[in-house]
Amino acid sequence: KADFLEFLNDGRLRFSKQSVVYKSHKTGKVDSIPAPELSAAQWRRVCVGHGIKLATSTGHVYRYDGFKDTDFEKISAFFKSNYKVELAEKDMCVKGWNWGTAKFTGSLLSFDVNDSPVFEIPLASVSQCATGKNEVTVEFHQNDDAEVSLMEVRFYVPPNTGDDGSDPVEAFAQNVLSKADVIQATGDAVCIFKELQCLTPRGRYDIRIYPTFLHLHGKTFDYKIPYTTVLRLFLLPHKDQRQMFFVISLDPPIKQGQTRYHFLILLFSKDEELSLALNMSEDEVEKRYEGKLSKNMSGPLFEIVSRVMKALVNRKITVPGNFQGHSGSQCITCAYKASSGLLYPLERGFIYVHKPPVHLRFEEISCVNFARGTTTTRSFDFEIETKQNNQYTFSNIEREEYGKLFDFVNAKKLNIKNRGFKEGMKGAEGYSDSDEDQHDAYLERMKEEGKIREEGDGSDESEGDSDESFNPGEEDDDVPEEYDSNASVSDSEADDGDSEEESKKKKPEKKPKKVVKEKKERKPRKEKKVKDPGAPKRPMSAYMLWLNGNRERIKSENPGISVTEISKKAGEMWKQLSKDRKEEWDRKAAEAKKQYEKAMKEYRESGGGAAPKKKGGKVEAKKKSGGEKEKKEGGNESFKSKEFISSEESSSESDHDRGSKRKASDDDDEEAASTPASSEEESGSD
């Protein structure tokens, strides 16, 4: 086996004695070349290592790139002994000339200079060919996976007349169009389906079925889809059991502006019937489709459409397997990218419809993960990670579907990421249910304990704050306990409380006395640290220095990655970093710390770090002058500032006591004026 890069897709190539088999990683499509059909083989140097060009007796040409120089002898010996074909070495022309000879060999256009090929164009990749005066323009299908795609190539054809008097420009264009993937609607359609509801692309379309392609005709857009681009067909029942999805997988996709549609999804009602007559004779239908179709057909619309597509595309129709969800349906309701849809577990993969549609084959899945829902415990998330490090998260799945989905994944032998110690459980059903039930029981228990604490420990405050929170229907023990727990109430008052409790039982409309509690002294606020804007910045750790130096590389290797994913990826890379590399960054961090300490020392020696006192002095002076003004204007002796209010002070204080308090206030003012400016500034900011 050898990994290689084909014209559009990555894949795997296998040489066997009977055939050459290629399987695409992207689409899963398999191409097989029988060994007797191989007619020629070439080994040549390409932009990525070396490549092989294979030609068949039927006129097809296949190219596979990505081989190493050391593979030549091994592959050449295999070809000679098993295929009886010589693997010839052929060098490409690298002169850089832009004039030469165009040669058409099968489905390949080769541009040669001095009998050495400069470049080759597979005509199956041509989407359109236009002619002008002495010029031919060849346009290509776009590759959505490539960052840069070749759009067109223009050939200048000299104005000389051929031997038969034909125009060389038209002859060139006809040679291209004869092998190109250009759709031309010639002849009558086999059948037409009117006003079918299409979900992607959205709208109602007339579908005209031709022998080699289907034509979607809508009010705004038209699409021509060749059958060679159809990869798979799916027929999926809706969860309501009244509708059906018919899904057509396409590669390359159909395009509308910058939008790519990899799936064509039709929605049918099961009750809709149709009688259809094909635009062909019975003998022609029997000869061409070998009993798969008949001239006159009738039945449900979705059955007629799927039957016609199966016969013309020559692809099997995939339907859901043996999976059944909690409600008995063959799909699971979930959300993907904030849009609700249906996830269908199939025999060989998963498919999600409908916005955006996703098809994941088991062979491209690396692992799956069952994650707890972020919004509620009644749902969970199902995460799928592919071998290309792409992650698909299907969220808001009902908890009842967990056991069924786990059994399905386990039966398909997919790698479950978070299986952990629960692997030893007897069964998936017990594992899933016990885990969820324990969690819910614990949650309910915590809620109950919280209610008990609120009713027990917090009852003193509730009774003291509001009479309305008192419940006459509570037990006899609750009220006396609340009154007994108050240290300021005497025994006689407690007895009165008991007698009052008995009277409350007789007369529940009366409210209990409000218990006045002593206010607790508030703790002084902690002083906030004010950040000095002029101080040197603290040094970074070894990890942060490494992250800043490798952030752009992580972004380039993972295009479209989010900020949180960058942090997660960087953490994994840092853990896998060798000890020597980590010591290198530790040394850099130590050097940065030394520079910081040196800069901080110089900063402090230059007078930095001391808080300004001018602002604090002004604030204190302002406070003091304001206090004097209050004393002058305050003729009412009952007024006192906040600092001197006391619960033990009586309204009948003597003049001597008032005088001593004024003297104490003056001393406090002097003491406050001598406090550091930073604390005054902080109190002012408070």
Side-chain angles (χ1 to χ4, degrees):
K1 295 184 179 179
D3 291 325
F4 69 98
L5 179 68
E6 206 201 11
F7 181 68
L8 290 178
N9 301 317
D10 294 336
R12 187 168 286 273
L13 183 67
R14 185 181 65 187
F15 297 118
S16 65
K17 295 181 180 180
Q18 294 78 22
S19 62
V20 177
V21 181
Y22 155 67
K23 185 173 184 180
S24 172
H25 283 166
K26 177 184 176 185
T27 62
K29 186 178 179 181
V30 178
D31 291 330
S32 180
I33 308 172
E37 293 184 3
L38 287 175
S39 59
Q42 288 183 0
W43 176 271
R44 53 189 180 178
R45 185 172 181 82
V46 293
C47 58
V48 183
H50 292 77
I52 291 178
K53 174 185 173 184
L54 302 177
T56 64
S57 56
T58 57
H60 293 90
V61 177
Y62 301 90
R63 297 184 306 158
Y64 306 112
D65 299 342
F67 294 97
K68 299 177 182 178
D69 189 18
T70 55
D71 296 333
F72 173 73
E73 295 181 0
K74 185 168 50 177
I75 297 174
S76 177
F78 185 86
F79 272 46
K80 194 172 182 178
S81 61
N82 293 280
Y83 302 150
K84 309 302 179 186
V85 175
E86 189 74 27
L87 185 60
E89 293 189 69
K90 185 74 172 178
D91 293 331
M92 304 289 289
C93 179
V94 291
K95 289 184 177 181
W97 294 2
N98 62 345
W99 67 89
T101 306
K103 295 181 180 180
F104 292 90
T105 307
S107 60
L108 198 69
L109 168 59
S110 175
F111 185 79
D112 297 351
V113 174
N114 296 335
D115 293 331
S116 295
V118 179
F119 61 86
E120 294 174 342
I121 299 175
L123 295 179
S125 301
V126 176
S127 63
Q128 192 56 262
C129 181
T131 60
K133 185 179 180 181
N134 301 330
E135 191 177 74
V136 178
T137 303
V138 180
E139 298 179 6
F140 304 99
H141 293 295
Q142 294 183 37
N143 182 8
D144 294 330
D145 295 333
E147 296 181 1
V148 180
S149 296
L150 179 63
M151 301 297 297
E152 66 177 33
V153 173
R154 295 185 181 183
F155 294 92
Y156 174 78
V157 183
N160 55 345
T161 308
D163 297 337
D164 55 353
S166 61
D167 185 3
V169 174
E170 291 296 330
F172 190 100
Q174 288 301 320
N175 285 328
V176 173
L177 291 172
S178 63
K179 300 293 183 181
D181 188 16
V182 180
I183 302 172
Q184 296 178 348
T186 56
D188 297 331
V190 176
C191 60
I192 300 175
F193 299 101
K194 295 281 189 181
E195 292 291 322
L196 295 185
Q197 183 180 355
C198 193
L199 300 181
T200 55
R202 188 174 59 181
R204 288 194 172 270
Y205 290 85
D206 293 341
I207 298 184
R208 296 183 173 91
I209 306 295
Y210 288 89
T212 58
F213 69 96
L214 63 91
H215 182 199
L216 268 69
H217 176 69
K219 294 181 179 179
T220 308
F221 303 112
D222 278 10
Y223 303 97
K224 294 177 181 177
I225 304 173
Y227 297 143
T228 54
T229 65
V230 177
L231 289 179
R232 294 176 183 84
L233 302 174
F234 301 90
L235 187 62
L236 309 170
H238 198 282
K239 193 170 186 178
D240 60 9
Q241 303 298 326
R242 293 181 296 175
Q243 300 180 95
M244 297 290 292
F245 293 110
F246 186 65
V247 183
I248 303 174
S249 175
L250 304 173
D251 183 61
I254 56 177
K255 309 175 186 67
Q256 185 57 52
Q258 297 297 321
T259 307
R260 304 289 184 268
Y261 296 104
H262 293 269
F263 293 88
L264 179 66
I265 302 180
L266 303 172
L267 182 63
F268 299 98
S269 173
K270 284 187 175 181
D271 301 333
E272 196 171 356
E273 301 281 338
L274 177 69
S275 296
L276 180 68
L278 300 182
N279 191 19
M280 302 169 67
S281 63
E282 292 185 3
D283 295 339
E284 193 175 0
V285 171
E286 182 65 27
K287 181 180 178 181
R288 181 175 293 184
Y289 302 113
E290 301 176 352
K292 297 178 182 178
L293 297 177
S294 58
K295 179 175 175 59
N296 298 304
M297 295 179 290
S298 61
L301 179 58
F302 72 91
E303 288 186 0
I304 301 296
V305 173
S306 58
R307 185 178 174 186
V308 170
M309 288 298 299
K310 180 181 178 181
L312 272 73
V313 177
N314 198 21
R315 292 276 192 275
K316 294 181 180 179
I317 295 179
T318 304
V319 296
N322 299 325
F323 176 82
Q324 275 197 346
H326 176 72
S327 59
S329 61
Q330 295 177 298
C331 58
I332 296 173
T333 304
C334 61
Y336 176 64
K337 290 187 176 180
S339 296
S340 180
L342 299 173
L343 180 66
Y344 291 85
L346 308 175
E347 288 301 316
R348 296 184 180 179
F350 295 96
I351 186 170
Y352 172 82
V353 290
H354 78 101
K355 194 175 182 181
V358 177
H359 179 233
L360 298 170
R361 294 173 285 115
F362 289 156
E363 59 190 33
E364 63 178 330
I365 294 176
S366 172
C367 62
V368 299
N369 182 33
F370 293 89
R372 198 172 299 281
T374 56
T375 56
T376 174
T377 58
R378 301 298 301 174
S379 66
F380 68 95
D381 297 348
F382 183 56
E383 300 172 353
I384 300 177
E385 186 174 338
T386 64
K387 295 177 182 177
Q388 288 77 29
N389 294 325
N390 297 323
Q391 187 166 340
Y392 301 86
T393 302
F394 303 97
S395 58
N396 296 335
I397 303 176
E398 295 180 359
R399 194 182 67 177
E400 289 76 13
E401 304 285 2
Y402 182 88
K404 300 285 186 180
L405 185 58
F406 184 88
D407 287 343
F408 176 83
V409 171
N410 206 26
K412 297 300 179 182
K413 298 181 180 179
L414 296 177
N415 182 24
I416 301 176
K417 193 174 183 180
N418 61 341
R419 187 193 301 266
F421 67 92
K422 295 166 186 170
E423 180 64 27
M425 290 289 182
K426 290 183 179 180
E429 188 70 26
Y431 149 49
S432 59
D433 292 345
S434 62
D435 178 55
E436 295 293 338
D437 292 343
Q438 284 178 8
H439 174 76
D440 289 345
Y442 176 77
L443 183 63
E444 293 298 327
R445 192 176 70 196
M446 293 300 295
K447 288 181 179 179
E448 291 297 329
E449 290 177 0
K451 289 180 181 179
I452 294 171
R453 283 196 299 268
E454 289 177 0
E455 294 173 1
D457 297 341
S459 58
D460 289 343
E461 296 181 3
S462 62
E463 289 296 323
D465 294 339
S466 173
D467 293 334
E468 296 176 358
S469 60
F470 177 77
N471 187 1
E474 290 181 347
E475 296 180 0
D476 297 345
D477 299 339
D478 292 340
V479 177
E481 283 180 3
E482 291 173 359
Y483 282 87
D484 291 343
S485 62
N486 192 342
S488 62
V489 182
S490 62
D491 295 337
S492 60
E493 288 174 340
D495 296 336
D496 293 341
D498 293 339
S499 61
E500 286 176 5
E501 177 61 19
E502 294 176 0
S503 62
K504 283 171 192 168
K505 290 183 179 180
K506 297 177 183 178
K507 299 179 181 180
E509 66 275 359
K510 288 187 179 181
K511 297 181 180 179
K513 291 182 179 180
K514 184 184 291 186
V515 180
V516 180
K517 302 174 73 175
E518 292 182 1
K519 293 185 178 180
K520 297 180 180 179
E521 295 182 359
R522 293 185 178 179
K523 295 181 180 179
R525 291 187 179 180
K526 294 182 179 179
E527 294 184 1
K528 296 180 181 178
K529 294 183 179 180
V530 181
K531 187 176 180 180
D532 190 354
K537 292 186 178 179
R538 290 183 176 274
M540 292 185 181
S541 63
Y543 169 72
M544 290 305 297
L545 289 172
W546 172 86
L547 178 59
N548 287 344
N550 292 272
R551 182 179 279 107
E552 294 301 325
R553 180 169 67 88
I554 296 173
K555 287 183 179 179
S556 62
E557 292 177 355
N558 304 274
I561 190 170
S562 64
V563 178
T564 54
E565 290 173 347
I566 289 175
S567 303
K568 184 178 178 181
K569 186 75 175 178
E572 294 174 356
M573 293 173 65
W574 176 256
K575 287 180 181 178
Q576 298 173 359
L577 210 62
S578 63
K579 187 177 180 181
D580 297 337
R581 294 294 306 278
K582 284 187 178 181
E583 288 178 354
E584 178 185 345
W585 291 102
D586 289 337
R587 286 194 298 270
K588 292 182 180 180
E591 291 175 3
K593 186 176 181 181
K594 290 179 181 178
Q595 293 177 2
Y596 166 75
E597 292 174 351
K598 182 179 178 182
M600 198 67 186
K601 185 178 179 181
E602 294 175 355
Y603 177 71
R604 286 172 178 166
E605 289 175 356
S606 62
K613 297 183 179 181
K614 188 175 181 182
K615 184 179 178 182
K618 285 186 177 180
V619 172
E620 186 57 37
K622 187 176 180 182
K623 286 185 178 179
K624 188 171 181 180
S625 61
E628 292 175 356
K629 187 177 180 181
E630 288 175 358
K631 289 178 183 179
K632 290 178 182 179
E633 296 178 356
N636 188 0
E637 292 295 336
S638 62
F639 173 83
K640 298 177 184 62
S641 61
K642 183 179 179 181
E643 291 81 1
F644 303 105
I645 295 177
S646 173
S647 59
E648 298 176 359
E649 181 183 356
S650 63
S651 60
S652 59
E653 282 185 317
S654 63
D655 294 338
H656 179 267
D657 292 337
R658 291 192 187 97
S660 64
K661 287 180 181 177
R662 284 174 183 164
K663 184 177 180 180
S665 65
D666 293 338
D667 294 338
D668 289 343
D669 288 340
E670 292 176 1
E671 184 180 353
S674 64
T675 55
S678 59
S679 62
E680 292 172 354
E681 183 179 351
E682 185 63 29
S683 62
S685 63
D686 290 340

